[in-house]
Amino acid sequence: MKLETKEDYRQLMFQLLDPLKPLYSNGCARLHLGDSGVTYPTVSMEMEAFSRPLWALVPLWLGGGKGYEEIYVNGLKNGTDPLHSEYWGGFNDYDQRFVEMAAIASGLIFTPEKLWEPLEEREKDNLAKWLYGINEHIIPDCNWQFFMILVNVALQKLGYPYSKEKLQSGLDKIESYYIGDGWYRDGGSSQKDYYISFAMHYYGLLYSVAMEEEDPGRCREFRERAKIFARDFIYWFDENGAALPFGRSLSYRFGEAAFWSAYLFAGLDDIPAGVIKGILSRHLNWWLDQKIFDRDGVLNIGYAYPNLIMAERYNAPGSPYWGMKTLLCLGLPDNHPFWSAKAEPLPGLDSIKLLKQADMLMQRIGSDVIAYPAGVCEKYGHGHVPEKYSKFAYSTRFGFSVARSQIILHENAPDSSLAFVIDGDDYVFVRKYSDQYEVLEDRVISSWHPFPGISVTTTVVPQEYGHIRIHEIESQYDCTAYDCGFAVKKFTNEYEQKAAGKTALVSNQEQCCQVTGEGPGVAGFVIESDPNTNVLYPNAAIPSVSYRIKKGETIRIETQVKSSIR
């Protein structure tokens, strides 16, 4: 799709949102998009689906466009009216509706003439009172603090009661999450993922625009941090527009690039508008080429195709519309340099880059971007945490796989992992998280325990052709260890797989991954992954090499992983 002019971007927005029009409820406050389950009730699911399109509609209105105003004015009236059948209701602690307040607050801050001024006084009172509820309940110590911040900013600007104390405490907590070099933690979490870009920085940059007069020092700080972060985050994108599949909430899809729109919106220009236009236009077009819509044009849950296996427990049918945050660029004025700039390629980037605060090395091999993370993640989470954070390598072109089960290799699909199967058992054990780690300029070292009684120290060293993994293993069990390469797409032209001696290879007309090992009992082996385990394609096979691990011995094995894109 041509994405050059402001009108092109507007047309993309309508292409994404118009399929929703017939699905709004009679009172416009609810939007039912599907029947898959989630951890919160139907009212929250339908309110979420209603709210998230506002992340694009508010910029549309701010930038002079029109559309959907009547739907959203009516929805706000009825959703916040306790006497209406579509009332969104009161709250509990940690309520999902607090999340969805942020888009409404953004609309009240930046386009009050569209969402606030058309309301009657009673309707304004209802909306303000409903929003104030976020101050009366517990919210998590994480990016959710920004939802409370934005709500109180909106109420303050509208001249309605707000909580100065909650606003300040939220800002203080956000400040405590900052770890330097442009990076935040997401609250107490040690994980570094897209939440740093499309939450911590995105909302901070919105704040920097909204509160420039009231809080200039903090706004300046938010912008300066985003400038620094951008120099690292640009490494997460490849030249074809794909971003790195890594971490949770990947069903937000093109939300991966939302930071770049916020960067422009906040007036930052260290990275030229043409470079950012190239990133955004390629990224959005990459997503339009994936199978992300159902037959009616509604976004589905998944990554490059519909896939509930990889989803988190908070992914409701409306969740993917958080990706609309990437269209914040629609709020730029008509004369902004972004609209007249030509889409430029990525600037010259290092072939290997240490992202110290992200605990990972980044590598560029041809048109592929590969990340080597240290395996830092929470022990418990929202689903498939080890697969989303603790593999040895993640690729924009090979993706990664999630387990259908922990029983038997093909159900576990342990791509880019060292998988252990103890003799006499079928269970598969991989790196869940690292106990200790060190990320250096040219290697990643981690110590981990896939299972009590098995200890591993792994060194991953990027090479021009891929990478080398060196494992030192101590085990109290006789077992087999499978060192696995990337998952390669099956059922495609020129597909080939073979395992001979100490090598295994899987390739097609676009991809190739070869794994070669040195160690006791080494043998090439191809794992036929279960369907729908890889996030990029529904059918894949994984080249691997197996090793025999003897009880009570210290074993050193070395595996060479070669990958290429044709």
Side-chain angles (χ1 to χ4, degrees):
M1 181 177 183
K2 181 167 68 76
L3 289 174
E4 297 176 0
T5 67
K6 193 173 193 178
E7 184 59 27
D8 293 337
Y9 276 79
R10 284 176 177 169
Q11 289 306 311
L12 171 61
M13 190 216 75
F14 286 118
Q15 177 182 330
L16 293 167
L17 294 187
D18 280 354
L20 306 181
K21 275 191 172 180
L23 304 176
Y24 286 90
S25 58
N26 290 335
C28 299
R30 307 284 185 93
L31 188 56
H32 184 81
L33 299 183
D35 298 297
S36 54
V38 71
T39 54
Y40 37 92
T42 300
V43 60
S44 299
M45 293 169 62
E46 294 178 349
M47 187 265 157
E48 171 187 87
F50 165 88
S51 176
R52 294 197 174 188
L54 283 169
W55 288 115
L57 290 170
V58 171
L60 172 77
W61 301 327
L62 181 63
K66 297 180 180 180
Y68 289 79
E69 293 94 336
E70 184 176 355
I71 290 175
Y72 277 84
V73 169
N74 286 331
L76 290 179
K77 288 180 184 178
N78 297 326
T80 59
D81 182 355
L83 301 179
H84 197 277
S85 61
E86 295 185 12
Y87 178 52
W88 293 326
F91 307 107
N92 302 303
D93 292 343
Y94 309 106
D95 201 298
Q96 179 67 27
R97 284 162 289 191
F98 298 148
V99 177
E100 313 314 325
M101 286 182 177
I104 296 170
S106 181
L108 298 177
I109 292 167
F110 296 109
T111 57
E113 73 282 1
K114 298 291 187 178
L115 296 182
W116 180 255
E117 293 172 10
L119 301 179
E120 297 178 359
E121 287 305 311
R122 182 183 65 85
E123 294 162 345
K124 290 178 179 178
D125 291 343
N126 284 340
L127 175 54
K129 182 178 179 181
W130 187 82
L131 289 170
Y132 191 88
I134 196 171
N135 296 313
E136 298 172 332
H137 292 270
I138 299 172
I139 61 173
D141 289 338
C142 64
N143 69 86
W144 282 43
Q145 296 295 317
F146 263 125
F147 308 145
M148 181 177 67
I149 291 166
L150 290 173
V151 165
N152 281 293
V153 167
L155 293 173
Q156 178 186 4
K157 286 182 172 291
L158 295 172
Y160 268 70
Y162 74 102
S163 174
K164 184 177 180 179
E165 294 75 21
K166 290 288 188 178
L167 176 57
Q168 186 61 50
S169 70
L171 290 167
D172 289 345
K173 286 183 178 180
I174 294 298
E175 187 64 28
S176 73
Y177 304 156
Y178 187 66
I179 58 175
D181 301 325
W183 286 82
Y184 290 86
R185 293 179 294 110
D186 186 10
S189 173
S190 56
Q191 298 167 176
K192 311 295 179 8
D193 52 32
Y194 282 105
Y195 276 86
I196 311 308
S197 65
F198 63 47
M200 307 305 292
H201 278 293
Y202 188 94
Y203 304 130
L205 290 173
L206 286 184
Y207 183 93
S208 78
V209 176
M211 297 293 283
E212 174 62 30
E213 293 185 6
E214 297 90 338
D215 194 4
R218 192 187 309 274
C219 293
R220 185 169 53 252
E221 195 71 57
F222 281 153
R223 290 194 294 269
E224 290 301 317
R225 290 172 182 176
K227 288 181 184 179
I228 300 169
F229 175 78
R231 300 167 198 160
D232 279 354
F233 190 52
I234 198 169
Y235 279 86
W236 287 42
F237 294 80
D238 76 19
E239 63 185 32
N240 291 329
L244 182 71
F246 173 78
R248 67 188 181 102
S249 294
L250 294 179
S251 279
Y252 302 155
R253 293 186 169 113
F254 42 91
E256 292 169 327
F259 168 81
W260 298 112
S261 276
Y263 186 94
L264 295 169
F265 188 73
L268 305 183
D269 57 7
D270 282 25
I271 295 176
V275 172
I276 294 178
K277 193 166 194 175
I279 293 172
L280 285 173
S281 61
R282 288 188 299 269
H283 184 69
L284 289 165
N285 272 305
W286 186 88
W287 277 112
L288 291 174
D289 286 338
Q290 311 308 312
K291 297 177 175 62
I292 62 175
F293 303 102
D294 68 16
R295 64 187 63 188
D296 297 318
V298 176
L299 288 172
N300 54 49
I301 297 172
Y303 195 63
Y305 62 95
N307 187 344
L308 287 175
I309 294 176
M310 57 80 64
E312 284 83 24
R313 61 197 194 118
Y314 53 80
N315 285 160
S319 293
Y321 285 88
W322 223 350
M324 305 308 291
K325 290 196 290 187
T326 299
L327 294 180
L328 179 59
C329 58
L330 288 173
L332 300 174
D334 293 349
N335 62 355
H336 192 282
F338 178 76
W339 300 121
S340 58
K342 296 293 184 182
E344 297 178 15
L346 290 168
L349 298 173
D350 297 340
S351 59
I352 298 178
K353 172 73 170 179
L354 169 64
L355 302 187
K356 184 176 178 60
Q357 297 294 356
D359 302 311
M360 64 171 59
L361 279 178
M362 302 296 294
Q363 182 181 28
R364 311 184 82 81
I365 301 179
S367 60
D368 193 12
V369 168
I370 301 172
Y372 303 103
V376 181
C377 65
E378 306 304 307
K379 296 180 182 180
Y380 307 103
H382 302 287
H384 297 293
V385 172
E387 295 100 307
K388 294 172 181 175
Y389 294 93
S390 293
K391 293 180 184 289
F392 299 131
Y394 293 81
S395 158
T396 59
R397 294 306 193 88
F398 292 93
F400 68 91
S401 300
V402 295
R404 185 179 288 272
S405 82
Q406 303 304 321
I407 303 173
I408 209 161
L409 283 168
H410 62 81
E411 291 187 2
N412 188 266
D415 64 322
S416 296
S417 302
L418 182 64
F420 289 84
V421 178
I422 296 172
D423 287 5
D425 203 338
D426 287 331
Y427 280 88
V428 181
F429 303 103
V430 298
R431 184 171 76 170
K432 299 177 180 64
Y433 55 88
S434 295
D435 300 309
Q436 296 180 334
Y437 64 90
E438 186 175 15
V439 184
L440 305 175
E441 295 279 350
D442 64 345
R443 65 193 59 210
V444 179
I445 305 168
S446 63
S447 298
W448 49 285
H449 293 80
F451 185 76
I454 302 177
S455 301
V456 186
T457 297
T458 295
T459 302
V460 178
V461 185
Q463 302 288 311
E464 183 178 354
Y465 54 77
H467 63 280
I468 292 173
R469 304 173 195 163
I470 302 166
H471 308 286
E472 295 182 0
I473 304 166
E474 295 182 5
S475 176
Q476 298 176 16
Y477 310 92
D478 290 330
C479 56
T480 301
Y482 297 84
D483 210 357
C484 306
F486 291 118
V488 178
K489 185 178 181 180
K490 292 176 60 177
F491 305 138
T492 185
N493 294 335
E494 301 178 26
Y495 178 79
E496 176 188 16
Q497 66 177 57
K498 59 184 179 181
K502 57 184 181 180
T503 298
L505 176 147
V506 183
S507 67
N508 56 41
Q509 80 274 23
E510 298 176 352
Q511 308 164 297
C512 181
C513 184
Q514 176 179 298
V515 180
T516 303
E518 294 289 344
V522 62
F525 185 80
V526 174
I527 300 171
E528 303 280 354
S529 303
D530 267 24
N532 307 314
T533 48
N534 188 271
V535 299
L536 288 184
Y537 23 83
N539 296 96
I542 305 170
S544 69
V545 285
S546 64
Y547 301 93
R548 284 299 298 161
I549 308 300
K550 292 293 186 181
K551 174 181 179 180
E553 297 181 3
T554 299
I555 304 294
R556 184 184 188 275
I557 61 178
E558 183 172 318
T559 304
Q560 179 188 81
V561 180
K562 291 184 177 181
S563 61
S564 62
I565 301 298
R566 298 171 179 173

